[in-house]
Amino acid sequence: MESGANRFGVGLLGHGTVGAAFAGLLPRHAERIERLTGLRPELAGILTRSSGSFDDLLERSELIVELIGGIDPAREWVLRAIEAGRHVVTANRQLLSRHGKELWEAARANGVQLRFEGAVAGVVPVIRVIQESLAGASIDRVHGIVNGTTNFILTEMARTGMTFGQALAEAQRLGYAEADPTEDVSGSDAAAKMAILARLAFDTPVHLDQVRYEGIEQIQPDDLEYARELGLELKLIGTAERIDGGLSVRVHPAFLYPGHPLATVSGPFNAVTVESPEITEVTMSGPGAGGTQTASAVLGDVISAMIPPASTPPTSSRLEIVTDVVSAFYLHLEVADEPGVLAQVAQVLAAQRVSVKSVVQKGLGDQARLVMVLHPVLESRFAAAIERIAGLEVLRAPPRAIRVLEEEFA
Ligand SMILES: NC(=O)c1ccc[n+]([C@@H]2O[C@H](COP(=O)([O-])OP(=O)(O)OC[C@H]3O[C@@H](n4cnc5c(N)ncnc54)[C@H](OP(=O)(O)O)[C@@H]3O)[C@@H](O)[C@H]2O)c1
């Protein structure tokens, strides 16, 4: 490490969307940070594919900022930095949701900080709030809209009647979706973020593979039309909650009733609600991802790391992962326009003890549909019913199901 009375070397891995924004932000705030911490942060160097050496950078840095993304070589470099006694700040949710246990354990063992506010919900300071402000509360549930791209697409579909493909193209045109949007629209990006949030909120290591997720590619304009008729909002919701002494972590589209704290979050915004008996609930919202926003969250982490004491989340396994939970469903069936169809469907549902809250028959001829809302049921039971329904000859297309969050608000 270079000497210099109060110099604090920050080594930057990656100079892309977030890295370049961070490199611009750090010098502009250096003086203020020096007043705050007594240490003056300086860029010790920048590593990209074409320039810089990791060993040189490590030598000249007190803290490493990892903004290259992906697993390799990010994992190796983060581990090497930690083992060399350097603090690490990262915005890499894929890395944390797959290798978080190993990385947090290494950080603990080496007495350094591993910070990652930029990895979860853009500038919404949800990590800090869960880790620090709510450290004294026992959390029952964390609910969130943690992917701005899908929230923008669903908002546009509801607002304009566009198809999924049209709204995705609009998101790409406006820079809210990447050229390859798979991670966002499949729900896997949100799943990685929920794995990180679940670990923090419940002191339980959660691997991305333990998060069940569904995306929004299958959502049709008429699902949103139906939602509008009932005054419901459709969102891609991530949930981590205590269930039967265990922990369920999942991501799926869900209809929300008006008044739900997440129902009004629209466009490329993120929001997270934390529920606990001590505090009832806290909802935080703000812009989701974006180069400048994420760089600002990363800089916040750098400043926090400059002010000890370290706080690295524990990785002790506390809760078993629960995979089967109770949910209410909206069910959309394109059916033959003939007598007895409803009875056949009802019979299959009844056999799995799935009860119907409401049913509407819509359209005639080759437009005939049954749109149902079902009472809460164990998801495995619902899946069994759907499998049987999909096999009925009277079905003209595969069944479409979307969960409904049952809570109603005044
Ligand atoms: N973009 C966002 O809005 C956003 C929001 C939240 C979190 N994040 C996370 O922030 C991280 C960075 O995202 P980004 O959008 O800034 O990525 P990006 O624009 O693709 O930039 C990646 C940078 O890392 C460098 N890099 C990649 N692989 C490398 C390797 N093997 N060796 C050396 N350098 C390498 C690239 O070098 P070259 O310049 O030589 O190609 C580039 O400078 C990711 O983990 C992402 O998930 C991004």
Side-chain angles (χ1 to χ4, degrees):
M1 280 179 261
E2 277 171 20
S3 60
N6 63 346
R7 177 190 175 278
F8 186 89
V10 176
L12 177 58
L13 309 181
H15 197 249
T17 309
V18 186
F22 176 79
L25 212 55
L26 184 70
R28 289 210 297 280
H29 290 267
E31 214 174 292
R32 184 177 63 83
I33 297 171
E34 186 175 3
R35 283 200 302 276
L36 206 63
T37 64
L39 296 169
R40 189 175 184 88
E42 277 177 21
L43 266 187
I46 301 174
L47 180 68
T48 65
R49 283 194 185 87
S50 53
S51 68
S53 133
F54 178 73
D55 291 311
D56 284 357
L57 201 60
L58 191 60
E59 184 58 29
R60 285 186 277 124
S61 307
E62 271 75 31
L63 180 149
I64 293 290
V65 171
E66 184 277 303
L67 294 172
I68 61 174
I71 305 296
D72 294 315
R75 173 176 162 267
E76 185 201 328
W77 285 346
V78 166
L79 269 176
R80 282 186 54 200
I82 289 172
E83 281 158 8
R86 309 299 196 270
H87 301 303
V88 172
V89 175
T90 178
N92 189 336
R93 53 190 159 270
Q94 294 301 341
L95 179 65
L96 292 171
S97 62
R98 291 190 162 92
H99 298 282
K101 187 168 189 293
E102 175 188 29
L103 299 178
W104 277 302
E105 274 171 11
R108 276 197 163 244
N110 288 278
V112 298
Q113 297 195 45
L114 173 59
R115 287 192 167 260
F116 48 93
E117 189 73 73
V120 173
V123 278
V124 186
V126 53
I127 302 290
R128 197 152 306 169
V129 167
I130 291 179
Q131 234 178 330
E132 296 171 19
S133 316
L134 299 182
S138 55
I139 295 172
D140 282 339
R141 177 159 66 165
V142 180
H143 246 359
I145 295 172
V146 290
N147 183 279
T149 306
T150 44
N151 205 47
F152 175 83
I153 292 172
L154 291 176
T155 304
E156 283 304 284
M157 288 178 73
R159 194 178 66 81
T160 65
M162 281 181 190
T163 62
F164 166 74
Q166 289 166 330
L168 170 59
E170 180 67 358
Q172 284 168 324
R173 191 181 69 77
L174 294 172
Y176 294 136
E178 292 179 22
D180 178 359
T182 315
E183 283 210 357
D184 289 324
V185 301
S186 69
S188 110
D189 172 85
K193 292 165 174 173
M194 291 312 298
I196 297 169
L197 283 181
R199 169 190 296 267
L200 285 186
F202 300 100
D203 283 358
T204 296
V206 179
H207 191 279
L208 180 57
D209 293 346
Q210 294 171 305
V211 184
R212 290 184 312 129
Y213 63 88
E214 287 171 24
I216 63 163
E217 304 102 313
Q218 75 288 1
I219 303 292
Q220 304 284 335
D222 54 3
D223 294 323
L224 287 147
E225 195 185 305
Y226 180 77
R228 195 168 37 243
E229 281 172 23
L230 289 177
L232 302 175
E233 296 287 343
L234 184 63
K235 304 289 177 193
L236 184 69
I237 298 289
T239 302
E241 66 181 338
R242 287 178 198 274
I243 289 185
D244 301 333
L247 173 63
S248 162
V249 191
R250 56 194 193 272
V251 170
H252 51 66
F255 286 119
L256 306 183
Y257 283 91
H260 190 289
L262 302 177
T264 52
V265 178
S266 41
F269 273 68
N270 281 191
V272 176
T273 295
V274 182
E275 296 173 9
S276 143
E278 294 89 351
I279 57 164
T280 60
E281 65 176 45
V282 171
T283 299
M284 295 155 271
S285 69
T292 324
Q293 288 86 347
T294 308
S296 157
V298 168
L299 183 58
D301 275 348
V302 170
I303 298 171
S304 298
M306 293 168 75
I307 312 170
S311 67
T312 297
T315 53
S316 57
S317 185
R318 294 265 198 88
L319 302 175
E320 287 296 316
I321 302 292
V322 176
T323 52
D324 204 6
V325 298
V326 171
S327 295
F329 284 90
Y330 148 99
L331 180 59
H332 190 129
L333 304 176
E334 295 182 32
V335 291
D337 191 5
E338 59 188 55
V341 171
L342 180 56
Q344 283 189 47
V345 172
Q347 201 177 10
V348 174
L349 291 172
Q352 288 297 334
R353 281 178 278 146
V354 181
S355 66
V356 178
K357 185 173 179 181
S358 68
V359 56
V360 193
Q361 278 179 279
K362 288 179 166 259
L364 295 170
D366 61 5
Q367 294 298 309
R369 292 172 284 161
L370 287 177
V371 179
M372 312 175 132
V373 176
L374 307 174
H375 283 295
V377 59
L378 208 55
E379 291 196 355
S380 55
R381 221 182 261 294
F382 178 75
I386 283 296
E387 204 181 317
R388 289 274 322 281
I389 289 173
L392 292 178
E393 275 185 14
V394 293
L395 262 271
R396 291 184 290 110
R400 276 149 47 197
I402 298 174
R403 288 165 185 80
V404 179
L405 297 197
E406 274 285 281
E407 293 111 303
E408 293 197 38
F409 295 80

